[in-house]
């Protein structure tokens, strides 16, 4: 069954700690995306990647980092520089970075501060 | 810059009645428009999209959307609401030549029995 798997479902971060959110897809999609969702603000784009070993900053990249070493994987690291990391994080993918392709989403990771 | 507005935070409708969730957009060229639905603690599910052609677009679960270029709107509709349609609905837009989707703030749909 093809889809996007995000793990863990819940994550807690201590002060000064970096944490990494996993995103794996078996849809053979070229493009992958990370969004942050806060109540009442919709989704905001953090980073996106159209191809392996290449990625671009989205609208709110500060305090986050990504890598794209494999087509299937696009992990997101929330660094200690992100002062307000509490949010619901969603990973998505699409067949290409073309603007008319719908994006497919994972079920998210909820990050909270300890 | 691309933008999309969902003017209603919440829409309430009785089961069996028609529903409309509103969306207006702003882009520099011709838009690509999308509707997604989100259930609690889940990711977004794609419902439908407008690329070009007929102004009435049909999608999943009996939903449809009407594209109106003169009013820059893309309202989501369903002839007969179900309690199971209760969820958070997002409108999104991308501009030609841009890979990024811009999402609205979402509209919570509550269908009462």
């Amino acid at each position: 069954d093809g889809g996007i798997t995000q793990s863990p479902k819940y994550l807690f971060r201590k002060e000064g700690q970096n944490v990494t959110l996993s995103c794996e897809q078996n849809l053979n999609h070229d493009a992958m995306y990370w969004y942050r969702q806060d109540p009442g603000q919709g989704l905001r784009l953090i980073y996106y990647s159209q191809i392996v070993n290449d990625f671009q900053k989205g609208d709110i990249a500060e305090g986050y980092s990504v890598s794209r070493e494999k087509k299937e994987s696009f992990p997101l690291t929330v660094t200690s520089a992100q002062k307000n990391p509490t949010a619901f994080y969603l990973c998505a993918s699409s067949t290409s970075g073309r603007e008319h392709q719908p994006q497919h989403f994972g079920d998210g990771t909820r990050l909270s501060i300890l | 810059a691309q933008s999309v507005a969902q003017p209603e935070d919440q829409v309430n409708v009785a089961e069996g009645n028609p529903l409309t969730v509103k969306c207006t957009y702003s882009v520099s060229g011709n838009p690509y428009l999308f509707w997604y639905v989100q259930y609690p603690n889940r990711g977004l599910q794609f419902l439908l999209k407008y690329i070009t052609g007929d102004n009435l677009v049909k999608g999943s679960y009996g939903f449809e959307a009407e594209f109106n270029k003169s009013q820059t709107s893309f309202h989501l509709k369903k002839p007969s609401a179900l309690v199971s349609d209760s969820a958070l609905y997002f409108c999104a837009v991308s501009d030609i030549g841009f890979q990024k989707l811009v999402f609205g703030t979402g509209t919570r749909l509550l269908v009462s029995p």
Side-chain angles (χ1 to χ4, degrees):
Chain A
D1 217 10
I4 299 176
T5 301
Q6 290 188 241
S7 62
K9 195 168 181 64
Y10 299 95
L11 187 58
F12 298 91
R13 195 191 88 170
K14 296 179 182 177
E15 289 288 337
Q17 186 182 38
N18 293 353
V19 293
T20 298
L21 284 61
S22 170
C23 178
E24 303 277 334
Q25 55 100 357
N26 60 5
L27 299 167
N28 199 32
H29 285 173
D30 289 312
M32 297 187 74
Y33 313 81
W34 273 106
Y35 292 93
R36 171 178 171 142
Q37 184 177 16
D38 296 281
Q41 293 194 45
L43 276 70
R44 292 180 291 169
L45 183 64
I46 305 172
Y47 270 97
Y48 65 104
S49 168
Q50 294 178 267
I51 197 170
V52 174
N53 293 322
D54 187 47
F55 48 83
Q56 287 79 40
K57 292 182 179 180
D59 300 317
I60 56 164
E62 186 174 351
Y64 301 97
S65 65
V66 293
S67 63
R68 186 85 188 276
E69 297 177 0
K70 298 187 301 182
K71 186 176 185 178
E72 302 80 15
S73 179
F74 192 41
L76 173 74
T77 296
V78 183
T79 75
S80 57
Q82 173 50 247
K83 297 307 179 188
N84 183 24
T86 297
F88 191 49
Y89 290 86
L90 288 163
C91 179
S93 69
S94 61
T95 55
S96 71
R98 294 294 302 276
E99 56 275 359
H100 62 282
Q101 296 291 347
Q103 294 178 15
H104 300 256
F105 285 80
D107 279 339
T109 293
R110 192 168 297 279
L111 177 61
S112 303
I113 296 295
L114 275 179
Chain B
Q2 311 147 263
S3 67
V4 62
Q6 294 182 244
E8 302 154 317
D9 290 336
Q10 182 162 314
V11 169
N12 299 305
V13 64
E15 188 174 32
N17 284 357
L19 69 88
T20 298
V21 182
K22 295 180 180 178
C23 172
T24 58
Y25 67 88
S26 174
V27 298
S28 55
N30 292 321
Y32 293 141
L33 293 155
F34 302 80
W35 275 103
Y36 289 84
V37 61
Q38 184 181 33
Y39 296 97
N41 295 312
R42 301 295 301 274
L44 276 65
Q45 295 178 30
F46 168 71
L47 282 178
L48 52 80
K49 68 178 179 182
Y50 172 83
I51 304 300
T52 186
D54 286 342
N55 290 339
L56 187 63
V57 179
K58 294 192 182 296
S60 306
Y61 313 120
F63 283 94
E64 57 190 26
E66 187 172 9
F67 173 70
N68 187 317
K69 188 171 184 177
S70 62
Q71 296 186 6
T72 62
S73 67
F74 188 56
H75 300 333
L76 182 70
K77 302 185 180 201
K78 188 174 183 181
S80 178
L82 300 172
V83 172
S84 57
D85 292 330
S86 298
L88 188 57
Y89 290 81
F90 288 98
C91 181
V93 65
S94 67
D95 203 348
I96 291 176
F98 291 87
Q99 289 79 30
K100 296 191 298 182
L101 272 181
V102 175
F103 286 85
T105 52
T107 298
R108 189 164 302 281
L109 174 67
L110 184 59
V111 182
S112 54

